[in-house]
Amino acid sequence: MVVSRIGRTSEGGMTRLSFTQEEKAALELLRTYMEEAGLTVRSDAVGNLIGRREGLNTLAPVVLIGSHIDSVYNGGNFDGPLGVLSALEVLQTMEEQTIRTENPIEVVVLRDEEGARFSFGMVGSRAMAGTLTQEDLEHKDDGGLSIAQAMGQAGLDPAAISKARRPKESIKAYVEVHIEQGKVLEKKNLPVGIVSGMFGIVWLKFSLEGEAGHAGATPMNMRKDALVAAARIIQMIEREASRTETTVGTVGQVQVFPGGINIIPGRVEFTLDLRATEAVVLQRVEEAIRCQTELICKERAIQCQLEILQRIRPAACSEHVQAVIRKAFRKRGLTEFTLVSGAGHDGMQFAHLWPIGMVFVRSEDGISHNPAEWSSPKDCAEGANVLYETVLDLAGFRRSAQPRRQPEQPSI
Ligand code: GLV
Ligand code: MN
Ligand code: MN
């Protein structure tokens, strides 16, 4: 609730876009939390904030836990911060209980997960995985500012992003707690769930060029109305995405030019967020959409350009990490329930390098990317407790010197 005061909007939500003052203020607050938890804090070349708790074996690979604190436009309080704060709580608890682990543990706040500002996300995790390119940094925000420029304004050197790369052997596993953002856990009456994998994502930008004209003087059969073509395409997208139960398609941004009440729209730009559990299905639906878009535009003498903003393959969570999480569920007396994530998460950028795992916390009414986003404190605490057990297992719980509380039954 304290973190969510930063970037508060008049609509009751929160806008904390990447590389902005709001994000910086939130990162500064989290830095103080990390220091209070006794962590050694640093910021990497892309601006990921990292708090490290040393292992008994300082050279052992790191167990990485965390999430993001950037948001979508007018988003909610839980998407991202829950994972960061749960990770911090886990390490703070280990500190309070003087628990030592074999492997070092790091809490990470990953930069620009949402992609809301530049229509290109997971910047911090791509940099850590070593896949972020200079070309990627050319994605621009609505004001025409590129990621590289925004990084410069935030005091970061975009030419140095490769320094954020973490070698494959340096990380043992990545685990994230996140709100579910759907209704599955609520329907099952379960506080938490184990994630098996994440939908693949493609973000496309459609630019339709027709002809602006006089709304009164141009007969209906003599128009090249780009918006009518866009409307046909959007309906077709809904139809195509509905053909399978594992595909979802969303047109979330539409811009009409020149945008006058008495002007036939000459140009329309809109985006598509298309997702599917399987890469082949995603490809098939995308091809169908592209093919029919061409037909609709041809019929109406509209020029259409399609730009790929980002493409992220579906990612599977590691069987091993899932098994460790399941063990944590058993220890906590929880029903072991596995589900797929429709939302994208930073682990997708890591899955080809490191074993990843995720724990979902029940979302009230499944609402997310909305100020009404809510998960109960009890459910959130359960997510953090599962993370605690999971991390103790992955990082190798070794000993506890002079415990302040009972170490055998650690509980947050
Ligand atoms: C991020 O929340 C996404 O899935 O778009
Ligand atoms: Mn998120
Ligand atoms: Mn999100």
Side-chain angles (χ1 to χ4, degrees), residues 57-141:
N57 179 357
T58 57
L59 299 175
V62 165
V63 173
L64 191 67
I65 53 178
S67 190
H68 61 97
I69 49 103
D70 68 307
S71 78
V72 294
Y73 289 97
N74 203 33
N77 300 343
F78 293 76
D79 178 357
L82 179 65
V84 171
L85 295 167
S86 300
L88 261 166
E89 180 65 23
V90 162
L91 293 197
Q92 172 113 42
T93 303
M94 285 186 187
E95 189 64 15
E96 286 164 4
Q97 297 182 334
T98 61
I99 281 173
R100 302 302 307 270
T101 56
E102 183 71 11
N103 298 66
I105 306 166
E106 290 184 2
V107 177
V108 64
V109 186
L110 292 156
R111 217 69 192 260
D112 194 352
E113 188 271 348
E114 293 287 5
R117 180 170 175 192
F118 300 99
S119 299
F120 180 82
M122 304 183 190
V123 171
S125 47
R126 286 177 204 263
M128 265 196 165
T131 54
L132 186 69
T133 65
Q134 290 298 323
E135 199 186 340
D136 291 336
L137 300 186
E138 291 313 309
H139 285 263
K140 292 186 172 53
D141 68 7

Coordinates of all heavy atoms in Angstrom, one line a residue, residues 57-141:
N57 N 28.4 -20.5 0.6 CA 29.3 -20.6 -0.6 C 29.1 -19.4 -1.5 O 28.2 -19.3 -2.2 CB 29.0 -21.9 -1.3 CG 29.9 -22.1 -2.5 OD1 30.7 -21.2 -2.8 ND2 29.8 -23.2 -3.2
T58 N 30.0 -18.4 -1.3 CA 29.8 -17.1 -2.0 C 29.9 -17.3 -3.6 O 29.5 -16.4 -4.3 CB 30.8 -16.1 -1.6 OG1 32.1 -16.6 -1.8 CG2 30.6 -15.7 -0.1
L59 N 30.5 -18.4 -4.0 CA 30.7 -18.6 -5.4 C 29.6 -19.5 -6.0 O 29.5 -19.6 -7.3 CB 32.1 -19.3 -5.7 CG 33.3 -18.5 -5.2 CD1 34.5 -19.3 -5.4 CD2 33.4 -17.2 -6.0
A60 N 28.7 -20.0 -5.2 CA 27.6 -20.8 -5.7 C 26.6 -20.0 -6.5 O 26.5 -18.8 -6.3 CB 26.9 -21.5 -4.6
P61 N 25.9 -20.6 -7.5 CA 25.0 -19.8 -8.3 C 23.8 -19.3 -7.5 O 23.5 -19.9 -6.5 CB 24.5 -20.8 -9.3 CG 24.8 -22.2 -8.8 CD 26.0 -22.0 -7.9
V62 N 23.3 -18.1 -7.9 CA 22.4 -17.4 -7.1 C 20.9 -17.9 -7.3 O 20.6 -18.3 -8.5 CB 22.4 -15.9 -7.6 CG1 21.2 -15.1 -7.2 CG2 23.7 -15.2 -7.2
V63 N 20.2 -17.9 -6.3 CA 18.7 -18.2 -6.4 C 18.1 -16.8 -6.5 O 18.2 -15.9 -5.6 CB 18.2 -18.9 -5.2 CG1 16.6 -19.0 -5.3 CG2 18.8 -20.3 -5.1
L64 N 17.5 -16.5 -7.7 CA 17.0 -15.2 -8.0 C 15.5 -15.1 -7.8 O 14.8 -16.0 -8.3 CB 17.4 -14.9 -9.4 CG 17.2 -13.4 -10.0 CD1 18.2 -12.5 -9.3 CD2 17.4 -13.4 -11.5
I65 N 15.0 -14.1 -7.0 CA 13.6 -14.0 -6.8 C 13.2 -12.5 -6.9 O 14.0 -11.6 -6.7 CB 13.2 -14.5 -5.3 CG1 14.0 -13.8 -4.2 CG2 13.3 -16.0 -5.3 CD1 13.7 -14.3 -2.8
G66 N 12.0 -12.3 -7.4 CA 11.6 -10.9 -7.5 C 10.5 -10.7 -8.5 O 9.8 -11.7 -8.9
S67 N 10.4 -9.5 -9.1 CA 9.3 -9.2 -10.0 C 9.6 -7.7 -10.5 O 10.7 -7.3 -10.6 CB 7.9 -9.3 -9.4 OG 6.9 -9.2 -10.4
H68 N 8.5 -7.0 -10.8 CA 8.7 -5.6 -11.3 C 7.9 -4.6 -10.6 O 6.9 -5.0 -9.9 CB 8.3 -5.6 -12.8 CG 6.9 -5.9 -13.0 ND1 5.9 -5.0 -13.2 CD2 6.2 -7.1 -13.1 CE1 4.7 -5.6 -13.4 NE2 4.9 -6.9 -13.3
I69 N 8.2 -3.3 -10.7 CA 7.4 -2.3 -10.0 C 6.9 -1.3 -11.0 O 6.3 -0.3 -10.6 CB 8.1 -1.6 -8.8 CG1 9.5 -1.2 -9.2 CG2 8.1 -2.6 -7.6 CD1 9.6 0.3 -9.4
D70 N 7.2 -1.5 -12.3 CA 6.6 -0.6 -13.3 C 5.1 -1.1 -13.5 O 4.8 -2.2 -13.2 CB 7.3 -0.5 -14.6 CG 7.3 -1.9 -15.4 OD1 7.6 -2.9 -14.7 OD2 6.9 -1.9 -16.5
S71 N 4.3 -0.2 -14.0 CA 2.9 -0.6 -14.2 C 2.4 -0.2 -15.6 O 3.1 0.4 -16.4 CB 2.0 0.2 -13.2 OG 1.8 1.5 -13.6
V72 N 1.1 -0.7 -15.9 CA 0.5 -0.2 -17.1 C -0.2 1.1 -16.8 O -0.1 1.6 -15.6 CB -0.6 -1.2 -17.5 CG1 0.0 -2.5 -17.9 CG2 -1.6 -1.5 -16.4
Y73 N -0.8 1.8 -17.8 CA -1.5 3.0 -17.5 C -2.7 2.7 -16.6 O -3.5 1.9 -16.8 CB -2.1 3.6 -18.8 CG -1.0 4.2 -19.7 CD1 -0.5 3.4 -20.8 CD2 -0.4 5.4 -19.5 CE1 0.6 3.9 -21.6 CE2 0.6 5.9 -20.3 CZ 1.1 5.2 -21.3 OH 2.1 5.6 -22.1
N74 N -2.8 3.5 -15.5 CA -3.9 3.4 -14.5 C -4.1 1.9 -14.1 O -5.2 1.4 -14.1 CB -5.2 3.9 -15.1 CG -6.1 4.4 -14.0 OD1 -5.7 4.8 -12.9 ND2 -7.4 4.2 -14.3
G75 N -3.0 1.3 -13.7 CA -3.0 -0.1 -13.3 C -3.3 -0.2 -11.8 O -3.7 0.7 -11.1
G76 N -3.2 -1.5 -11.3 CA -3.5 -1.8 -9.9 C -2.2 -1.8 -9.1 O -1.1 -1.6 -9.6
N77 N -2.4 -2.2 -7.8 CA -1.3 -2.1 -6.8 C -0.5 -3.4 -6.7 O 0.5 -3.4 -6.1 CB -1.8 -1.8 -5.4 CG -2.6 -0.5 -5.4 OD1 -2.4 0.3 -6.3 ND2 -3.4 -0.3 -4.4
F78 N -1.0 -4.5 -7.3 CA -0.4 -5.8 -6.9 C 0.4 -6.4 -8.1 O 1.3 -7.2 -7.8 CB -1.5 -6.8 -6.6 CG -2.3 -6.5 -5.4 CD1 -3.2 -5.4 -5.3 CD2 -2.0 -7.2 -4.2 CE1 -3.9 -5.1 -4.1 CE2 -2.7 -6.9 -3.0 CZ -3.6 -5.9 -3.0
D79 N 0.1 -6.0 -9.3 CA 0.8 -6.6 -10.5 C 2.3 -6.1 -10.5 O 2.6 -5.0 -10.9 CB 0.1 -6.1 -11.7 CG 0.7 -6.6 -13.0 OD1 1.8 -7.2 -12.9 OD2 0.2 -6.3 -14.1
G80 N 3.1 -7.0 -10.0 CA 4.6 -6.7 -9.9 C 5.0 -6.5 -8.4 O 5.8 -7.3 -7.9
P81 N 4.6 -5.4 -7.8 CA 5.0 -5.2 -6.4 C 4.8 -6.4 -5.5 O 5.7 -6.6 -4.6 CB 4.2 -4.0 -6.0 CG 4.0 -3.2 -7.2 CD 3.8 -4.3 -8.3
L82 N 3.8 -7.1 -5.6 CA 3.6 -8.3 -4.7 C 4.8 -9.2 -4.8 O 5.2 -9.7 -3.7 CB 2.3 -9.1 -5.1 CG 2.0 -10.3 -4.2 CD1 1.8 -9.9 -2.8 CD2 0.9 -11.1 -4.7
G83 N 5.3 -9.5 -6.0 CA 6.4 -10.4 -6.1 C 7.7 -9.8 -5.5 O 8.5 -10.5 -4.9
V84 N 7.9 -8.5 -5.7 CA 9.1 -7.9 -5.2 C 9.0 -7.9 -3.6 O 10.0 -8.2 -3.0 CB 9.2 -6.4 -5.7 CG1 10.3 -5.7 -5.0 CG2 9.4 -6.4 -7.2
L85 N 7.9 -7.5 -3.1 CA 7.8 -7.4 -1.6 C 7.7 -8.7 -1.0 O 8.3 -8.9 0.1 CB 6.5 -6.5 -1.3 CG 6.6 -5.1 -1.7 CD1 5.3 -4.4 -1.6 CD2 7.7 -4.3 -0.9
S86 N 7.2 -9.7 -1.6 CA 7.2 -11.1 -1.1 C 8.7 -11.6 -1.0 O 9.1 -12.2 0.0 CB 6.4 -12.1 -2.0 OG 5.1 -11.7 -2.1
A87 N 9.4 -11.3 -2.1 CA 10.8 -11.7 -2.1 C 11.6 -11.0 -1.0 O 12.4 -11.6 -0.3 CB 11.4 -11.4 -3.5
L88 N 11.3 -9.7 -0.8 CA 12.0 -9.0 0.3 C 11.6 -9.5 1.7 O 12.5 -9.7 2.5 CB 11.5 -7.5 0.2 CG 12.5 -6.6 -0.5 CD1 11.8 -5.3 -0.8 CD2 13.7 -6.4 0.4
E89 N 10.3 -9.9 1.8 CA 9.9 -10.4 3.1 C 10.5 -11.7 3.4 O 10.9 -12.0 4.6 CB 8.3 -10.6 3.0 CG 7.7 -11.1 4.3 CD 7.8 -10.2 5.5 OE1 8.0 -9.0 5.3 OE2 7.7 -10.7 6.6
V90 N 10.7 -12.5 2.4 CA 11.4 -13.8 2.5 C 12.8 -13.6 3.1 O 13.3 -14.2 4.1 CB 11.5 -14.6 1.2 CG1 12.5 -15.7 1.2 CG2 10.1 -15.2 0.9
L91 N 13.6 -12.6 2.5 CA 14.9 -12.4 2.9 C 15.0 -11.7 4.2 O 15.9 -12.0 5.1 CB 15.7 -11.6 1.8 CG 16.0 -12.4 0.5 CD1 17.1 -11.8 -0.3 CD2 16.3 -13.9 0.8
Q92 N 14.1 -10.8 4.5 CA 14.0 -10.2 5.8 C 13.8 -11.2 6.9 O 14.4 -11.2 8.0 CB 12.9 -9.1 5.8 CG 12.6 -8.5 7.1 CD 12.9 -7.0 7.2 OE1 12.6 -6.3 6.2 NE2 13.5 -6.6 8.2
T93 N 12.9 -12.2 6.6 CA 12.6 -13.2 7.6 C 13.8 -14.1 7.8 O 14.1 -14.4 9.0 CB 11.4 -14.1 7.1 OG1 10.3 -13.2 6.9 CG2 11.0 -15.1 8.1
M94 N 14.5 -14.4 6.8 CA 15.7 -15.2 6.9 C 16.7 -14.4 7.8 O 17.4 -15.0 8.7 CB 16.4 -15.5 5.6 CG 15.6 -16.5 4.8 SD 16.5 -17.0 3.3 CE 15.3 -18.0 2.5
E95 N 16.8 -13.1 7.6 CA 17.7 -12.3 8.4 C 17.3 -12.3 9.9 O 18.1 -12.5 10.7 CB 17.7 -10.9 7.8 CG 18.7 -9.9 8.4 CD 20.1 -10.3 8.0 OE1 20.3 -11.1 7.1 OE2 21.0 -9.8 8.7
E96 N 16.0 -12.1 10.1 CA 15.5 -12.1 11.5 C 15.7 -13.5 12.2 O 15.9 -13.5 13.4 CB 14.0 -11.8 11.5 CG 13.7 -10.3 11.2 CD 12.3 -10.1 10.8 OE1 11.4 -11.0 10.9 OE2 12.0 -8.9 10.5
Q97 N 15.6 -14.5 11.4 CA 15.8 -15.8 12.0 C 17.2 -16.4 11.9 O 17.5 -17.5 12.2 CB 14.8 -16.8 11.3 CG 13.4 -16.4 11.5 CD 12.4 -17.4 10.9 OE1 12.7 -18.0 9.9 NE2 11.2 -17.4 11.4
T98 N 18.1 -15.5 11.5 CA 19.5 -15.8 11.3 C 19.7 -17.1 10.5 O 20.6 -17.9 10.9 CB 20.3 -15.8 12.6 OG1 19.8 -16.7 13.5 CG2 20.3 -14.4 13.2
I99 N 18.9 -17.3 9.5 CA 19.0 -18.5 8.7 C 20.1 -18.3 7.7 O 20.2 -17.3 7.1 CB 17.7 -18.8 8.1 CG1 16.8 -19.5 9.1 CG2 17.8 -19.7 6.8 CD1 15.4 -19.7 8.7
R100 N 20.9 -19.3 7.5 CA 22.0 -19.3 6.4 C 21.6 -20.3 5.3 O 21.0 -21.3 5.6 CB 23.4 -19.6 7.0 CG 23.8 -18.7 8.1 CD 23.8 -17.2 7.7 NE 24.6 -16.9 6.5 CZ 25.9 -16.6 6.5 NH1 26.6 -16.6 7.6 NH2 26.5 -16.4 5.4
T101 N 22.0 -19.9 4.1 CA 21.8 -20.8 3.0 C 23.1 -21.1 2.3 O 24.0 -20.2 2.4 CB 20.7 -20.3 2.0 OG1 21.2 -19.0 1.6 CG2 19.4 -20.2 2.6
E102 N 23.2 -22.2 1.6 CA 24.4 -22.5 0.9 C 24.6 -21.5 -0.3 O 25.6 -20.9 -0.5 CB 24.2 -23.9 0.3 CG 25.4 -24.5 -0.4 CD 26.6 -24.8 0.5 OE1 26.4 -24.8 1.7 OE2 27.7 -25.0 0.0
N103 N 23.5 -21.3 -1.0 CA 23.6 -20.4 -2.2 C 23.2 -19.0 -1.8 O 22.4 -18.8 -1.0 CB 22.6 -20.9 -3.3 CG 22.9 -22.2 -3.8 OD1 22.8 -23.2 -3.1 ND2 23.3 -22.3 -5.1
P104 N 23.9 -18.0 -2.5 CA 23.4 -16.6 -2.3 C 22.0 -16.5 -2.9 O 21.6 -17.2 -3.8 CB 24.4 -15.8 -3.2 CG 25.5 -16.8 -3.5 CD 25.0 -18.1 -3.5
I105 N 21.3 -15.5 -2.3 CA 19.9 -15.3 -2.8 C 19.9 -13.8 -3.2 O 20.4 -12.9 -2.4 CB 18.8 -15.6 -1.7 CG1 19.0 -17.0 -1.2 CG2 17.4 -15.4 -2.3 CD1 18.2 -17.3 0.0
E106 N 19.3 -13.5 -4.3 CA 19.2 -12.1 -4.7 C 17.7 -11.8 -5.0 O 17.0 -12.5 -5.7 CB 20.0 -11.8 -6.0 CG 21.5 -11.8 -5.7 CD 22.4 -11.5 -6.9 OE1 21.9 -11.2 -7.9 OE2 23.6 -11.5 -6.7
V107 N 17.3 -10.6 -4.5 CA 16.0 -10.0 -4.9 C 16.2 -9.1 -6.0 O 17.1 -8.3 -5.9 CB 15.4 -9.2 -3.7 CG1 14.1 -8.6 -4.1 CG2 15.2 -10.1 -2.5
V108 N 15.4 -9.2 -7.1 CA 15.6 -8.3 -8.2 C 14.3 -7.6 -8.5 O 13.2 -8.2 -8.5 CB 16.1 -9.1 -9.4 CG1 15.2 -10.1 -10.0 CG2 16.5 -8.1 -10.6
V109 N 14.5 -6.3 -8.8 CA 13.3 -5.5 -9.3 C 13.7 -5.3 -10.8 O 14.6 -4.5 -11.1 CB 13.2 -4.1 -8.6 CG1 11.9 -3.4 -9.0 CG2 13.2 -4.3 -7.1
L110 N 12.9 -6.0 -11.6 CA 13.3 -5.9 -13.1 C 12.6 -4.7 -13.7 O 11.5 -4.4 -13.5 CB 12.8 -7.2 -13.7 CG 13.7 -8.4 -13.2 CD1 12.9 -9.7 -13.4 CD2 15.0 -8.5 -14.0
R111 N 13.4 -4.1 -14.6 CA 13.0 -2.8 -15.2 C 12.1 -3.0 -16.4 O 12.4 -3.9 -17.2 CB 14.3 -2.1 -15.7 CG 14.3 -0.6 -15.5 CD 14.4 -0.2 -14.1 NE 14.1 1.2 -14.0 CZ 15.0 2.2 -13.8 NH1 16.3 1.8 -13.7 NH2 14.7 3.4 -13.7
D112 N 11.0 -2.3 -16.5 CA 10.1 -2.3 -17.6 C 9.6 -3.6 -18.0 O 9.9 -4.1 -19.1 CB 10.7 -1.6 -18.8 CG 9.7 -1.2 -19.9 OD1 8.5 -1.7 -19.7 OD2 10.0 -0.5 -20.9
E113 N 8.9 -4.3 -17.1 CA 8.3 -5.6 -17.5 C 7.1 -5.4 -18.4 O 6.9 -6.1 -19.4 CB 7.9 -6.3 -16.2 CG 7.4 -7.8 -16.5 CD 5.9 -7.9 -16.8 OE1 5.2 -6.9 -16.6 OE2 5.5 -8.9 -17.2
E114 N 6.3 -4.3 -18.1 CA 5.0 -4.2 -18.7 C 5.1 -3.8 -20.2 O 4.2 -4.2 -20.9 CB 4.2 -3.1 -18.0 CG 3.8 -3.5 -16.5 CD 2.7 -4.6 -16.5 OE1 2.3 -5.1 -17.6 OE2 2.2 -4.9 -15.4
G115 N 6.0 -3.0 -20.5 CA 6.1 -2.6 -21.9 C 5.0 -1.5 -22.3 O 4.7 -1.2 -23.4
A116 N 4.4 -1.0 -21.2 CA 3.3 0.0 -21.4 C 3.8 1.3 -22.1 O 3.1 1.8 -23.0 CB 2.6 0.3 -20.1
R117 N 5.0 1.7 -21.8 CA 5.4 3.0 -22.3 C 5.9 2.9 -23.7 O 5.6 3.8 -24.6 CB 6.5 3.6 -21.4 CG 7.0 4.9 -21.9 CD 7.9 5.6 -20.8 NE 8.5 6.8 -21.4 CZ 9.5 7.5 -20.9 NH1 10.1 7.0 -19.8 NH2 10.0 8.6 -21.4
F118 N 6.7 1.9 -24.0 CA 7.3 1.8 -25.3 C 6.7 0.7 -26.2 O 7.3 0.4 -27.3 CB 8.8 1.5 -25.1 CG 9.5 2.6 -24.3 CD1 9.8 2.4 -23.0 CD2 9.9 3.8 -24.9 CE1 10.4 3.4 -22.2 CE2 10.5 4.8 -24.2 CZ 10.8 4.6 -22.9
S119 N 5.6 0.1 -25.8 CA 5.0 -1.1 -26.5 C 6.1 -2.1 -26.7 O 6.1 -2.8 -27.8 CB 4.4 -0.6 -27.8 OG 3.4 0.3 -27.6
F120 N 7.0 -2.3 -25.8 CA 8.0 -3.3 -25.8 C 8.5 -3.6 -24.4 O 8.9 -2.6 -23.7 CB 9.2 -2.8 -26.7 CG 10.3 -3.7 -26.8 CD1 10.3 -4.8 -27.7 CD2 11.4 -3.7 -25.9 CE1 11.4 -5.7 -27.8 CE2 12.5 -4.6 -26.0 CZ 12.4 -5.6 -26.9
G121 N 8.2 -4.8 -23.9 CA 8.5 -5.0 -22.5 C 9.6 -5.9 -22.1 O 10.4 -6.3 -23.0
M122 N 9.7 -6.2 -20.8 CA 10.7 -7.1 -20.3 C 12.1 -6.7 -20.6 O 13.0 -7.5 -20.9 CB 10.4 -8.6 -20.8 CG 9.0 -9.1 -20.5 SD 8.7 -10.8 -21.0 CE 7.0 -10.9 -20.7
V123 N 12.3 -5.4 -20.5 CA 13.6 -4.8 -20.9 C 14.7 -5.3 -19.9 O 15.8 -5.7 -20.3 CB 13.5 -3.3 -20.9 CG1 14.9 -2.6 -21.1 CG2 12.6 -2.8 -22.0
G124 N 14.4 -5.2 -18.6 CA 15.4 -5.6 -17.6 C 15.8 -7.1 -17.7 O 16.9 -7.4 -17.6
S125 N 14.8 -7.9 -17.9 CA 15.0 -9.4 -17.9 C 15.7 -9.7 -19.2 O 16.6 -10.6 -19.2 CB 13.8 -10.2 -17.7 OG 12.7 -9.7 -18.5
R126 N 15.4 -9.1 -20.3 CA 16.1 -9.3 -21.6 C 17.6 -9.0 -21.4 O 18.5 -9.7 -21.9 CB 15.6 -8.5 -22.7 CG 14.2 -8.9 -23.2 CD 13.7 -7.9 -24.3 NE 12.3 -7.9 -24.5 CZ 11.6 -8.5 -25.4 NH1 12.3 -9.3 -26.3 NH2 10.3 -8.4 -25.5
A127 N 17.9 -7.9 -20.7 CA 19.2 -7.4 -20.5 C 20.0 -8.5 -19.7 O 21.1 -8.8 -20.0 CB 19.3 -6.1 -19.9
M128 N 19.3 -9.0 -18.6 CA 20.0 -10.0 -17.8 C 20.3 -11.3 -18.5 O 21.3 -11.9 -18.3 CB 19.0 -10.3 -16.6 CG 19.3 -9.6 -15.4 SD 18.5 -10.4 -14.0 CE 19.3 -9.6 -12.7
A129 N 19.4 -11.6 -19.4 CA 19.5 -12.8 -20.2 C 20.5 -12.6 -21.4 O 20.9 -13.5 -22.1 CB 18.2 -13.3 -20.8
G130 N 20.9 -11.3 -21.6 CA 21.8 -11.0 -22.7 C 21.2 -11.0 -24.1 O 21.9 -11.0 -25.1
T131 N 19.9 -10.8 -24.1 CA 19.2 -10.8 -25.5 C 18.7 -9.4 -25.9 O 18.2 -9.2 -27.0 CB 18.0 -11.8 -25.5 OG1 17.1 -11.4 -24.4 CG2 18.4 -13.2 -25.3
L132 N 18.9 -8.4 -25.0 CA 18.4 -7.1 -25.3 C 19.4 -6.5 -26.3 O 20.6 -6.5 -26.1 CB 18.4 -6.2 -24.1 CG 17.8 -4.8 -24.2 CD1 16.3 -4.9 -24.5 CD2 18.0 -4.0 -23.0
T133 N 18.9 -5.9 -27.4 CA 19.8 -5.4 -28.5 C 19.7 -3.8 -28.5 O 18.7 -3.3 -28.0 CB 19.4 -5.9 -29.9 OG1 18.1 -5.4 -30.2 CG2 19.4 -7.4 -29.9
Q134 N 20.6 -3.2 -29.2 CA 20.6 -1.8 -29.4 C 19.3 -1.4 -30.2 O 18.7 -0.4 -30.0 CB 21.8 -1.2 -30.1 CG 23.1 -1.3 -29.2 CD 22.9 -0.4 -27.9 OE1 22.4 0.7 -28.0 NE2 23.5 -0.9 -26.8
E135 N 19.0 -2.3 -31.1 CA 17.8 -2.1 -32.0 C 16.5 -2.0 -31.1 O 15.6 -1.2 -31.3 CB 17.7 -3.2 -33.0 CG 16.8 -2.8 -34.2 CD 16.7 -4.1 -35.1 OE1 17.5 -5.0 -35.0 OE2 15.7 -4.1 -35.8
D136 N 16.5 -2.9 -30.1 CA 15.3 -3.0 -29.2 C 15.1 -1.6 -28.5 O 14.0 -1.2 -28.2 CB 15.5 -4.0 -28.1 CG 15.5 -5.4 -28.6 OD1 14.8 -5.6 -29.7 OD2 16.0 -6.3 -28.0
L137 N 16.3 -1.0 -28.2 CA 16.2 0.3 -27.5 C 15.7 1.5 -28.3 O 15.5 2.6 -27.9 CB 17.6 0.7 -26.9 CG 18.2 -0.3 -25.9 CD1 19.5 0.2 -25.4 CD2 17.3 -0.7 -24.8
E138 N 15.4 1.2 -29.6 CA 14.9 2.2 -30.5 C 13.4 2.3 -30.4 O 12.7 3.2 -31.0 CB 15.3 2.0 -32.0 CG 16.8 2.2 -32.2 CD 17.3 3.5 -31.6 OE1 16.7 4.5 -31.9 OE2 18.3 3.5 -30.8
H139 N 12.7 1.4 -29.7 CA 11.2 1.5 -29.5 C 10.9 2.8 -28.9 O 11.6 3.2 -27.9 CB 10.7 0.3 -28.7 CG 10.7 -1.0 -29.4 ND1 9.5 -1.4 -30.0 CD2 11.6 -1.9 -29.7 CE1 9.8 -2.6 -30.6 NE2 11.0 -2.9 -30.5
K140 N 9.9 3.5 -29.4 CA 9.6 4.8 -28.9 C 8.3 4.9 -28.1 O 7.4 4.1 -28.3 CB 9.5 5.8 -30.1 CG 10.8 6.0 -30.8 CD 10.8 7.0 -31.9 CE 12.1 7.4 -32.4 NZ 12.9 6.3 -32.9
D141 N 8.2 5.9 -27.2 CA 7.0 6.1 -26.5 C 6.1 7.1 -27.3 O 6.5 7.5 -28.4 CB 7.2 6.6 -25.0 CG 7.9 8.0 -25.0 OD1 8.0 8.7 -26.1 OD2 8.2 8.5 -23.9

